[in-house]
Amino acid sequence: MQSALIFTVSLLLISSPVYTKTINWVVADFAPYYIFNDQYAGTGRDESIVTLLEQQLPAYTFKRTILPSSRTIQELANPNYTYCMLSLYQSPHRRQHIQFSQQTSTVGLSPSVAIHKELAQQLKLDLNQPVSLDALLNQYKLALGISMSRSYGDAIDAIINNSADASIIIRPGRDTLASLTYMLKKKRIDILLGYPSEHYYLAKSMGFDDELIQLPLTEAPELSYGYIGCTNNKQGIEQVKILNTALEQVKQQAAYQEILLRWLPDNLKPLLEQRLKISKNASTQ
């Protein structure tokens, strides 16, 4: 009996450090943030930053659990388990159930529109300046493609909801953005709303990225910020602190900025670099 008790205690002593030194990450099959199955596998933006964090924390074991995008927040908010996820947007509701890092984990450009270069030139749009979504819909009468139940920010959502006479194609389903990108390729829609890296990856995968240009929107903020979020329990709170410290180091690496720029078209890389520099200077003043 005594030997069995000693054996059990020994197991607990051995296993406890392993448990506390493991960080379980939620990942989703959502390119170009996580890329699992094509020739670009392993080069996703978010998965690459998780790898940088893993290198920064050699004493920790990183485990990855693939979940559908629709379930990620639900699993993160479950206090019976402890998960972390990169590049989450904060909201008052999410902060009730998820502990967020103070450091941003990702910074990217806000939603833009993808448009054929030929059409942009016909409309005499200034390709070096942001364009107004309201003008594209209501002045130029362009057909817009958007994903169902996806928010693009208050200002852009308001334009979409208040443009009753505009031609807006809404697509539901798991591969909505890919379907809309194919429609853009076939010119069944004129413009596609989404995040620049998503546009670029899908168009590149379909082999027509050189036919498109992406234009920032005047109604969108200059930058979009994501944070690490972990389950709001004791272990998750501790892991966020550890990851927050690691992020400070990772963000000083040249590889980090290269990852942020990796899935942007050439015309938008200088814009993100410029805005990142301005944002960094502002935060240090």
Side-chain angles (χ1 to χ4, degrees), residues 5-283:
L5 179 61
I6 293 172
F7 179 71
T8 302
V9 172
S10 299
L11 281 178
L12 288 173
L13 290 173
I14 293 170
S15 61
S16 292
V18 174
Y19 176 73
T20 56
K21 292 288 187 180
T22 298
I23 299 178
N24 292 297
W25 291 92
V26 170
V27 301
D29 189 3
F30 189 10
Y33 309 117
Y34 302 93
I35 307 175
F36 298 146
N37 299 317
D38 61 20
Q39 69 266 37
Y40 306 113
T43 65
R45 185 194 68 177
D46 291 7
E47 64 183 319
S48 297
I49 293 175
V50 170
T51 298
L52 291 183
L53 289 167
E54 188 172 22
Q55 295 167 356
Q56 191 67 34
L57 296 169
Y60 286 80
T61 299
F62 280 26
K63 294 184 177 180
R64 296 158 175 84
T65 300
I66 301 174
L67 293 175
S69 299
S70 59
R71 281 184 52 203
T72 55
I73 299 302
Q74 177 184 346
E75 295 300 325
L76 277 171
N78 185 349
N80 296 318
Y81 302 93
T82 303
Y83 286 113
C84 295
M85 189 172 185
L86 199 82
S87 195
L88 290 178
Y89 300 115
Q90 296 196 44
S91 69
H93 176 72
R94 286 184 176 184
R95 283 192 288 268
Q96 293 177 19
H97 307 284
I98 298 172
Q99 190 74 18
F100 288 94
S101 60
Q102 293 180 332
Q103 291 280 327
T104 57
S105 62
T106 51
V107 184
L109 295 174
S110 294
S112 65
V113 290
I115 184 172
H116 280 271
K117 293 177 182 177
E118 180 184 6
L119 177 58
Q121 291 165 355
Q122 290 175 2
L123 298 174
K124 297 182 179 179
L125 298 176
D126 186 342
L127 305 185
N128 296 311
Q129 296 294 329
V131 297
S132 167
L133 179 63
D134 182 70
L136 294 176
L137 290 178
N138 299 304
Q139 178 183 339
Y140 293 102
K141 305 297 183 182
L142 300 184
L144 168 69
I146 60 173
S147 302
M148 179 178 284
S149 302
R150 190 172 189 185
S151 173
Y152 300 95
D154 292 342
I156 294 176
D157 289 349
I159 292 170
I160 294 170
N161 294 332
N162 294 325
S163 298
D165 296 329
S167 177
I168 300 176
I169 310 300
I170 303 173
R171 283 286 182 269
R174 183 177 180 275
D175 297 319
T176 301
L177 202 56
S179 172
L180 288 167
T181 302
Y182 183 77
M183 291 178 68
L184 182 65
K185 179 179 182 179
K186 295 297 184 180
K187 300 184 180 180
R188 296 172 187 165
I189 56 175
D190 300 314
I191 51 176
L192 176 57
L193 181 60
Y195 286 88
S197 56
E198 298 169 6
H199 289 158
Y200 179 65
Y201 168 81
L202 286 168
K204 190 174 180 69
S205 298
M206 295 181 188
F208 78 117
D209 53 293
D210 58 342
E211 300 174 26
L212 297 182
I213 190 163
Q214 296 184 48
L215 301 176
L217 296 171
T218 57
E219 295 91 351
E222 291 190 342
L223 293 171
S224 178
Y225 298 95
Y227 298 80
I228 290 177
C230 295
T231 308
N232 192 19
N233 57 24
K234 183 178 179 181
Q235 189 180 6
I237 291 169
E238 289 300 317
Q239 290 183 353
V240 162
K241 293 178 182 177
I242 293 161
L243 291 167
N244 192 73
T245 301
L247 268 177
E248 292 187 69
Q249 301 302 315
V250 163
K251 288 165 67 174
Q252 304 305 314
Q253 300 175 18
Y256 174 79
Q257 181 154 321
E258 187 276 327
I259 290 168
L260 294 184
L261 297 170
R262 180 179 294 164
W263 287 106
L264 281 179
D266 289 340
N267 73 301
L268 291 183
K269 287 181 179 179
L271 180 62
L272 180 57
E273 288 179 309
Q274 177 190 27
R275 290 180 176 179
L276 287 173
K277 187 174 182 179
I278 292 172
S279 177
K280 183 177 180 180
N281 291 338
S283 65

